[in-house]
Amino acid sequence: GAGDAAFQKKAKERLETYLKNASVLVFCSHSIKLMNIWANKALWISKGEIMDFGNVTPVFENYWNNEGGGKI
């Protein structure tokens, strides 16, 4: 992971505060673990086209089966 424990704690607290006040947050990641923690929806875009949108795990599974070479 990035940063030391104090930095990670501060970053997590700041993100939690932001999420309480925001209606939309764009969070880009290839980590299903982080997406399941911070996102309630996922959007898969490939070569400028929307490939899938919905709950995190099914979108990641679709992505991984089509572009990632197998199961998550």
Side-chain angles (χ1 to χ4, degrees), residues 4-64:
D4 61 18
F7 173 82
Q8 289 179 9
K9 182 177 185 285
K10 183 178 176 182
K12 181 180 180 212
E13 289 170 354
R14 184 171 177 147
L15 186 55
E16 287 171 341
T17 299
Y18 180 81
L19 287 172
K20 288 178 188 174
N21 299 312
S23 58
V24 174
L25 171 70
V26 176
F27 177 78
C28 300
S29 178
H30 285 104
S31 168
I32 192 168
K33 181 180 177 183
L34 289 177
M35 291 295 290
N36 276 313
I37 291 170
W38 296 110
N40 55 17
K41 297 289 181 194
L43 174 65
W44 167 26
I45 300 173
S46 181
K47 299 175 185 163
E49 291 188 40
I50 296 174
M51 306 301 289
D52 199 0
F53 174 76
N55 293 325
V56 173
T57 298
V59 172
F60 259 79
E61 287 175 348
N62 191 10
Y63 163 78
W64 199 252

